Amino acid sequence: MAEQMSDDERQQSPPSDLDFTSNKARTCIVTGSVSGHTEFQSPYPDQVLENVLENVLHFLTSRRDRNTASLVCKSWYRVEALTRSELFIGNCYAVSPARATARFTRVRALHLKGRPRFADFNLMPSGWGAHFNPWVLAFAKACPWLEKVYLKRMSVTDDDLATLAESFLGFKELVLFCCDGFGTSGLAIFVSKCRQLKVLDLIESEVSDDETDWILCFPEGESHLESLIFDCVECPINFEALERLVARSPSLKKLRLNRYVSIGQLYRLMVQAPQLTHLGTGSFSPSEIAGQGDQEPDYVTAFAACKSLVCLSGFREIIPDYLPAIYPICANLTSLNFSYANITAEQLKPIISNCHKLQVFWVLDSICDEGLQAVAATCKELRELRVFPVDAREDSDGPVSEVGFQAISEGCRKLQSILYFCQRMTNAAVIAMSRNCPDLVVFRLCIMGRHRPDHVTGEPMDDGFGAIVMNCKKLTRLAVSGLLTDKAFDYIGRYGKLVRTLSVAFAGDSDMALKYVLEGCPQLQKLEIRDSPFGDAALCSGLHHYYNMRFLWMSSCRLTHQGCQQIAHAMPRLVVEVIKSADEEEMDVCDQILYMYRSLEGPRNDAPKFVTIL
């Protein structure tokens, strides 16, 4: 590949000492001698150490391990920065683009996060910030060899996409997760100029329809595409152009289609790309313009031909009559996402009964407890389960309960992550989960009705969540709900020593609840709280820990402006933002949002009018 690089690409390559070179060549200093013969002198000991260290650090891939290594001494700090090719920034306001590019000069991949997670639930006004523009401009100037960008909850404009495509000649991968601000015209510019593009993944992002045919803008000739995900794009696409693109992409492994792709069109794409390993099916229903007399393609044969398929999703506008088409591949599936498919337990059973290798399963609660029991009976390798509600209203009749929950815990003993929406739960079922699935790392139980107790005993859910933190020793992420007293938070503080992310809603009795957590969870990084009775005393109990956290979010709690101001004065390197609704001039602080995060730069300069930085 090196001999095929253009002159421009060679000029844009990073310094050659990123590559592995001979240790002998790197540790010898050439000088002249009186006799005219070349002499070799040993370098200084510190230089030898740095050369050795640089080669060693190339093999250190964990960002946490690298962060630790950089703290050893100034020499390690310098060498670690020179050898870091992948940069992760968990909050785009924690450090400036200028500081990041000055320290890490050889970065090839950038991971950047913006808005906090609660923004996904319309709890943050639009226009808050998290703009990608200053980052792409800084990296265009300092790191022209950048190849990969992964953005989460960032605002990205069409101009940003154009800059990305024009500034990095060897750019290969773009992943936009929960991003907004751009449209199909920006995508058109981007794909037309990125001739080495391998990955374009648009995941749960808002893409405006500019009536631009962006699929048609991919360069002609053989494509390098390995992954193309656009299931979130809510506008029709040029299917003929997509079909040609798939046909000329022999390396394509992942393809996720939007709801405007019919099952007939899906068939044509599968015939072109039997090598797919990950497939998002699009609508999984026939086109409205399909003729009634047209013969149906052999969907079963098309799926059977995709022998490498292990991950299946989509089903955006499913007609269950077509589900038998996927039967041939069920035995190979390790991931199945039915989170858009409103199917019943009877429709699920013939599928799930053959999914013995399944490790990841997302589904709607329309399958009821009976469907979850079928999952438990078959999927003994299951590692992750997410059950989403068809009807998320608090007063709805939830079709799943502690019955399906306990069945999963008894049948899927290797479970490591669960997100479970329901209307009723019992302590006994949660305690059973803690004992049957001790390897749980993520436990998110969302009882949708506020302050719901154990629906059998009427007791608070304290003992259930207490059992989770006591018995699941690897737990790092926890979301609590239901009727909870301070006792539950006492359990979390005493036993949740590895918990890094905690989400709380409508829970707790007093300030003591939050104090238990802040004083007892040394690894806590992200704390999200809404509609809970925590005030200034609870907030101040975390003064010793806030510099170690990525952020704290509190909305609709019992804070006062004075309490928030006290935190800002006590911790000058902490950015304390008070956010009110964009259309409300005056709001009591109890109804506002407190968002605090650590930053090397201090207050940001792009805060909108509805944000007050204390």
Side-chain angles (χ1 to χ4, degrees):
M1 291 296 293
E3 63 269 20
Q4 297 176 4
M5 292 177 64
S6 67
D7 290 339
D8 286 339
E9 287 172 317
R10 294 180 190 278
Q11 293 172 10
Q12 298 293 328
S13 297
S16 59
D17 57 355
L18 259 181
D19 302 326
F20 292 100
T21 57
S22 166
N23 285 340
K24 181 176 180 180
R26 294 185 59 128
T27 55
C28 293
I29 301 176
V30 182
T31 64
S33 69
V34 175
S35 61
H37 296 290
T38 301
E39 293 182 354
F40 292 89
Q41 295 181 357
S42 296
Y44 296 111
D46 284 350
Q47 184 181 347
V48 174
L49 177 61
E50 289 198 6
N51 289 339
V52 172
L53 181 60
E54 184 172 339
N55 283 317
V56 170
L57 288 180
H58 273 295
F59 295 98
L60 198 61
T61 57
S62 166
R63 64 174 185 266
R64 291 193 178 95
D65 290 343
R66 278 188 161 271
N67 290 343
T68 302
S70 70
L71 299 176
V72 173
C73 62
K74 289 183 178 180
S75 178
W76 283 55
Y77 178 88
R78 180 171 59 253
V79 175
E80 191 282 319
L82 289 174
T83 57
R84 188 177 294 215
S85 61
E86 191 165 325
L87 180 60
F88 174 88
I89 298 175
N91 179 356
C92 64
Y93 290 120
V95 62
S96 69
R99 185 189 292 263
T101 53
R103 178 182 173 191
F104 302 103
T105 58
R106 302 174 182 179
V107 171
R108 289 182 179 271
L110 172 65
H111 298 249
L112 189 61
K113 291 186 177 183
R115 297 179 292 272
R117 190 183 69 92
F118 269 20
D120 295 347
F121 305 98
N122 297 320
L123 295 178
M124 175 176 280
S126 61
W128 174 79
H131 303 290
F132 180 51
N133 182 258
W135 288 92
V136 69
L137 294 179
F139 273 84
K141 183 177 181 180
C143 300
W145 42 82
L146 192 71
E147 296 177 347
K148 306 173 184 179
V149 170
Y150 307 86
L151 304 179
K152 189 171 185 178
R153 300 189 184 96
M154 297 286 292
S155 291
V156 183
T157 67
D158 290 342
D159 288 341
D160 296 336
L161 293 177
T163 302
L164 202 59
E166 294 165 356
S167 302
F168 309 104
L169 298 182
F171 195 81
K172 294 181 174 66
E173 298 184 14
L174 177 63
V175 178
L176 301 179
F177 184 90
C178 288
C179 293
D180 58 19
F182 63 99
T184 53
S185 58
L187 291 175
I189 296 172
F190 176 77
V191 301
S192 67
K193 297 185 177 181
C194 291
R195 294 188 168 274
Q196 298 185 46
L197 191 65
K198 292 183 177 181
V199 175
L200 177 59
D201 292 351
L202 309 174
I203 304 170
E204 297 182 32
S205 292
E206 295 182 15
V207 184
S208 62
D209 182 6
D210 304 328
E211 299 184 352
T212 302
D213 189 351
W214 64 281
I215 294 288
L216 187 63
C217 294
F218 277 89
E220 293 294 332
E222 184 169 296
S223 166
H224 299 281
L225 271 181
E226 298 173 4
S227 177
L228 177 60
I229 296 175
F230 62 94
D231 49 358
C232 64
V233 179
E234 290 294 329
C235 59
I237 53 104
N238 182 336
F239 177 75
E240 286 70 25
L242 176 63
E243 189 175 25
R244 292 195 298 271
L245 175 63
V246 170
R248 65 177 189 271
S249 302
S251 300
L252 190 65
K253 299 295 184 183
K254 299 180 181 180
L255 178 63
R256 280 165 49 180
L257 309 165
N258 69 2
R259 66 185 182 90
Y260 292 92
V261 177
S262 69
I263 190 170
Q265 293 170 326
L266 171 67
Y267 170 82
R268 291 166 57 179
L269 294 174
M270 293 175 68
V271 171
Q272 296 282 2
Q275 77 278 5
L276 289 174
T277 60
H278 295 61
L279 176 64
T281 65
S283 69
F284 213 69
S285 59
S287 170
E288 294 180 358
I289 61 174
Q292 293 184 352
D294 294 347
Q295 183 176 356
E296 289 270 22
D298 189 350
Y299 301 121
V300 173
T301 300
F303 274 99
C306 295
K307 300 184 182 300
S308 300
L309 206 57
V310 295
C311 180
L312 192 61
S313 61
F315 309 100
R316 294 275 168 154
E317 296 176 356
I318 186 172
I319 291 183
D321 290 347
Y322 289 97
L323 280 175
I326 71 173
Y327 290 175
I329 62 167
C330 290
N332 287 332
L333 290 181
T334 60
S335 177
L336 178 60
N337 185 344
F338 274 152
S339 62
Y340 289 94
N342 193 346
I343 60 174
T344 66
E346 291 304 316
Q347 292 162 344
L348 174 68
K349 285 178 181 178
I351 298 170
I352 211 68
S353 62
N354 292 305
C355 295
H356 297 282
K357 296 181 181 179
L358 202 64
Q359 296 184 19
V360 178
F361 185 45
W362 293 15
V363 70
L364 290 176
D365 61 9
S366 58
I367 65 167
C368 304
D369 289 329
E370 184 182 355
L372 292 174
Q373 289 169 331
V375 173
T378 302
C379 306
K380 303 303 179 181
E381 299 299 317
L382 197 66
R383 302 298 198 277
E384 178 183 335
L385 173 67
R386 298 191 185 190
V387 181
F388 299 95
V390 173
D391 185 352
R393 292 177 300 175
E394 293 185 25
D395 58 351
S396 64
D397 294 326
V400 297
S401 68
E402 78 281 358
V403 175
F405 187 83
Q406 185 156 342
I408 290 293
S409 76
E410 293 171 353
C412 307
R413 302 293 182 107
K414 297 180 181 180
L415 198 66
Q416 297 176 358
S417 174
I418 184 168
L419 169 62
Y420 195 86
F421 284 86
C422 62
Q423 290 287 1
R424 56 193 187 278
M425 184 53 62
T426 64
N427 280 304
V430 180
I431 292 170
M433 174 72 72
S434 75
R435 291 172 177 167
N436 294 330
C437 305
D439 291 333
L440 278 172
V441 177
V442 176
F443 183 80
R444 294 192 284 168
L445 175 59
C446 302
I447 305 172
M448 290 182 286
R450 304 184 189 190
H451 310 295
R452 292 276 177 90
D454 180 316
H455 86 95
V456 173
T457 67
E459 296 293 317
M461 293 295 299
D462 299 338
D463 291 341
F465 284 101
I468 291 291
V469 292
M470 279 190 280
N471 297 329
C472 303
K473 307 296 185 182
K474 302 176 184 178
L475 194 71
T476 62
R477 183 172 183 179
L478 176 65
V480 300
S481 57
L483 179 62
L484 295 176
T485 70
D486 290 352
K487 180 182 177 182
F489 295 90
D490 184 24
Y491 282 133
I492 295 171
R494 278 195 284 160
Y495 300 104
K497 300 305 179 183
L498 296 183
V499 172
R500 297 176 60 84
T501 302
L502 176 62
S503 302
V504 180
F506 307 100
D509 291 328
S510 69
D511 288 340
M512 282 303 299
L514 187 53
K515 186 176 181 181
Y516 287 139
V517 170
L518 290 171
E519 293 182 353
C521 299
Q523 301 296 322
L524 193 63
Q525 288 284 300
K526 295 180 279 187
L527 179 55
E528 307 166 330
I529 304 170
R530 60 167 298 191
D531 298 276
S532 298
F534 306 143
D536 294 346
L539 183 64
C540 291
S541 67
L543 284 171
H544 66 288
H545 189 58
Y546 290 143
Y547 278 148
N548 296 323
M549 292 175 60
R550 187 182 298 174
F551 71 80
L552 167 66
W553 167 292
M554 296 180 72
S555 61
S556 299
C557 294
R558 297 178 180 174
L559 303 176
T560 68
H561 185 83
Q562 182 179 1
C564 298
Q565 192 74 59
Q566 184 178 349
I567 296 293
H569 283 306
M571 311 192 75
R573 289 189 292 115
L574 199 70
V575 177
V576 181
E577 295 191 5
V578 176
I579 308 169
K580 62 176 181 284
S581 176
D583 57 357
E584 293 286 346
E585 291 297 326
E586 295 294 334
M587 291 177 63
D588 186 83
V589 72
C590 294
D591 299 320
Q592 296 177 358
I593 298 167
L594 173 69
Y595 181 48
M596 303 193 317
Y597 53 90
R598 61 192 181 195
S599 175
L600 296 175
E601 311 301 331
R604 58 191 176 111
N605 57 12
D606 65 348
K609 292 181 179 180
F610 56 80
V611 172
T612 301
I613 299 180
L614 303 180

